[in-house]
Amino acid sequence: VGKIYVGLNGILSTPAASHLIRKNEATGGILLTASHNPGGPTKDFGIKFNISNGGAAPTRVTSNIFEISKKLTEYRIVQKLECNLGKEGITKFKVENTVTEVEVVDPVIDYVNLMKEIFDFVALKQLISGNKDKPFKILIDSMHGVTGPYAKVIFEKELGAPDGSIFNEIPLEDFGGSHPDPNLTYAKELVHKLSAGDYDFGAAFDGDGDRNMILGPKAFFVVPSDSLAVLAANLSCIPYFKKNPVKGFARSMPTAAAVDRVGEHLKIAVYETPTGWKFFGNLLDSDKVSLCGEESFGTGSDHIREKDGIWAALAWLSVIAHLKQPLDKIIIEHWKKYGRNYSFRYDYENVDSEGAKKMMTDLEEKITKPNFIGTNLGDAPNIYTVKTGDNFSYTDPTDKSVTTNQGLRVLMTDGSRIIYRLSGTGSSGATIRLYLEGYEKDPNKVLVPRDVILDSLSKIAINLAKIKEYTGRDKPTVIT
């Protein structure tokens, strides 16, 4: 290895790392992070490898790494090799006959400059300054993750938000003992502060900076699938997309299909992929898509090859500045135009792994039987008819690679969906994720609360899988 770039004090967000890899044409990058999981000496810790395009390593690469790891018989440690990560600069090390250059770089400046190339910072600064009668107030929760230094520079120094607009801004190795997952459950401090009605916009970012939650006045919650759809419908207001016309959109399979309706209206292709940002990589590299999103609070564009929390917040502020409307009204007007894709995600965290696997095995056998098609589920008047049941598989349109076993789907004749997945990003037990989706096109009904619309479908999904029987859980750990 001839050259290694390291963030000052070991700080580097996942989006910033993706940008540095691409800017410096690096072979790849290694990120040490707990991501959106609890961190610290007794909690989660992960190693992420990004390839030369700046994106997460695809399955073929990680599988190859695993195979090589099984053949390793030894490794060597260089004794007394020290590098000062607290000071910018270059240090050279010679090990045997190889000279390696380590450059400690400011982790913030390159990323800030990239954001300035993408967004109109003058317009955003004008938005935040507001007027004498009412400034536009924002509040950002960095959840003691890596985004604090970035958010302080961008939102306070560059865009003029008052001091204190960023909180939990100091990166801590254990995230202050919190769970740095930006959702209504774990970012409750932000939700509480916005609920009082003193702020116009709020955002929370996860531990490594690639996930985001967006809130409007009085903590109006923007469901990730709606966030993706509204941004897709308004990308043309962002300077970057005026220079780089939108090519396509992509969403992960469990993500509600709101963006599909935008794509159909704009005559722009929409791709449905398995869960995992790495599946967007080939689509981005082949210029098939410009905007991607996941229901797990991930949004990003082709400016890098990772999802990007701060980018998403700046994109939303750009839409608000362009439309000159409060966030909640923008969402409601979008629903009235395109219809509303109602969605819920239930997370049953740290359940018994064997019970969860047995549940999924038995459920797959049930929903893939030919006679399951046409089954009526639920009670009158809320009866759903099964269109099909399967285990989602994906054929990549760029290289024709096939990915299987990506989630159990029960699709209804009216377009409603129930999806079950097992997640393995945590370190203890298993997490069952249950997704519900329904659609309402009547503009006069789009304000009906989602728990009313999806109540019957929720009961069907829980009973169909026998979740309580297999897990012992009466209710999910997290609802988003």
Side-chain angles (χ1 to χ4, degrees):
V1 177
K3 178 90 174 186
I4 300 172
Y5 294 93
V6 184
L8 185 67
N9 296 316
I11 297 295
L12 198 61
S13 75
T14 290
S18 180
H19 175 53
L20 277 182
I21 292 169
R22 294 168 64 81
K23 176 186 175 184
N24 294 294
E25 299 181 343
T27 302
I30 297 172
L31 293 93
L32 310 178
T33 173
S35 187
H36 58 290
N37 300 304
T42 62
K43 301 295 183 180
D44 279 15
F45 181 78
I47 300 174
K48 294 173 62 175
F49 179 67
N50 284 25
I51 59 175
S52 59
N53 73 346
T59 303
R60 57 179 171 77
V61 173
T62 54
S63 296
N64 194 32
I65 291 173
F66 178 61
E67 291 303 317
I68 292 173
S69 73
K70 293 191 293 186
K71 300 174 184 177
L72 296 178
T73 58
E74 64 177 21
Y75 62 89
R76 300 179 183 181
I77 299 175
V78 179
Q79 301 292 333
K80 298 182 180 179
L81 190 154
E82 296 181 0
C83 182
N84 182 6
L85 301 184
K87 182 180 180 181
E88 292 180 59
I90 296 174
T91 307
K92 294 183 179 181
F93 300 93
K94 185 175 183 180
V95 180
E96 294 182 342
N97 295 319
T98 301
V99 175
T100 297
E101 190 174 275
V102 178
E103 182 172 357
V104 178
V105 299
D106 184 324
V108 176
I109 188 168
D110 282 324
Y111 180 82
V112 173
N113 289 336
L114 176 64
M115 294 301 104
K116 286 182 174 181
E117 294 174 7
I118 295 171
F119 299 102
D120 185 345
F121 268 43
V122 173
L124 295 180
K125 189 169 185 177
Q126 290 174 345
L127 169 70
I128 290 175
S129 65
N131 54 58
K132 293 181 180 179
D133 297 326
K134 189 180 186 305
F136 185 91
K137 295 183 66 176
I138 70 171
L139 189 64
I140 306 295
D141 184 0
S142 287
M143 303 188 81
H144 286 304
V146 75
T147 61
Y150 299 85
K152 291 288 287 185
V153 171
I154 290 174
F155 295 103
E156 292 185 357
K157 181 179 178 182
E158 294 289 342
L159 299 182
D163 289 345
S165 296
I166 318 299
F167 70 102
N168 293 329
E169 74 276 16
I170 299 175
L172 300 174
E173 66 177 13
D174 64 349
F175 308 121
S178 66
H179 189 151
D181 196 352
N183 57 45
L184 295 173
T185 299
Y186 296 125
K188 58 187 177 184
E189 185 178 0
L190 176 69
V191 175
H192 176 72
K193 290 182 176 183
L194 263 75
S195 296
D198 296 330
Y199 294 92
D200 301 284
F201 178 87
F205 310 125
D206 76 327
D208 64 331
D210 58 0
R211 300 183 187 223
N212 73 93
M213 179 178 70
I214 302 297
L215 299 175
K218 296 184 179 179
F220 183 96
F221 173 57
V222 182
V223 177
S225 57
D226 283 334
S227 181
L228 177 65
V230 172
L231 292 181
N234 295 280
L235 280 184
S236 60
C237 76
I238 297 172
Y240 176 86
F241 294 104
K242 292 178 181 178
K243 299 176 184 176
N244 304 279
V246 177
K247 311 171 192 78
F249 306 126
R251 62 171 175 83
S252 62
M253 180 273 287
T255 303
V259 72
D260 298 37
R261 305 185 191 285
V262 176
E264 181 180 6
H265 177 77
L266 298 177
K267 295 180 172 54
I268 293 176
V270 180
Y271 297 85
E272 182 182 40
T273 74
T275 296
W277 205 262
K278 62 185 179 183
F279 292 103
F280 295 139
N282 282 354
L283 298 174
L284 291 164
D285 285 344
S286 61
D287 290 329
K288 289 186 178 295
V289 300
S290 301
L291 177 71
C292 309
E294 298 180 317
E295 49 70 38
S296 54
F297 297 88
T299 323
S301 82
D302 57 357
H303 67 291
I304 55 173
R305 294 298 181 266
E306 287 279 8
K307 48 187 178 278
D308 190 343
I310 288 179
W311 177 93
L314 292 171
W316 258 104
L317 289 173
S318 298
V319 172
I320 294 169
H322 174 69
L323 296 179
K324 295 179 172 57
Q325 293 180 328
L327 181 148
D328 51 345
K329 186 174 182 179
I330 291 172
I331 291 282
I332 293 169
E333 290 301 314
H334 181 92
W335 289 339
K336 289 180 177 179
K337 179 176 181 178
Y338 293 99
R340 182 177 179 182
N341 284 74
Y342 286 91
S343 63
F344 265 122
R345 188 181 96 182
Y346 295 170
D347 289 4
Y348 297 82
E349 297 179 345
N350 297 324
V351 300
D352 177 70
S353 296
E354 292 305 314
K357 291 176 184 177
K358 183 71 164 57
M359 187 200 86
M360 295 293 284
T361 299
D362 293 350
L363 180 60
E364 181 172 7
E365 182 180 357
K366 180 189 301 183
I367 69 171
T368 55
K369 287 181 178 178
N371 62 3
F372 186 64
I373 297 174
T375 301
N376 290 326
L377 302 174
D379 301 315
N382 300 309
I383 294 177
Y384 295 84
T385 302
V386 175
K387 179 180 179 181
T388 190
D390 66 11
N391 195 331
F392 180 65
S393 64
Y394 172 69
T395 301
D396 190 307
T398 65
D399 62 11
K400 307 306 178 185
S401 60
V402 177
T403 305
T404 59
N405 300 317
Q406 291 301 300
L408 303 182
R409 302 188 301 173
V410 179
L411 310 181
M412 309 300 183
T413 54
D414 70 346
S416 299
R417 300 193 302 166
I418 301 171
I419 298 163
Y420 306 86
R421 294 189 68 249
L422 276 181
S423 175
T425 57
S427 61
S428 59
T431 296
I432 296 171
R433 302 198 195 280
L434 167 60
Y435 307 85
L436 309 169
E437 180 179 1
Y439 176 67
E440 178 57 66
K441 65 180 179 180
D442 186 343
N444 297 313
K445 296 181 179 179
V446 295
L447 294 182
V448 177
R450 61 177 179 160
D451 55 341
V452 174
I453 295 293
L454 296 176
D455 179 64
S456 179
L457 193 64
S458 171
K459 292 174 181 175
I460 290 170
I462 291 169
N463 292 332
L464 182 64
K466 300 180 180 179
I467 291 178
K468 183 177 180 180
E469 178 180 323
Y470 284 97
T471 68
R473 300 291 181 86
D474 289 317
K475 59 183 180 180
T477 313
V478 178
I479 298 177
T480 50

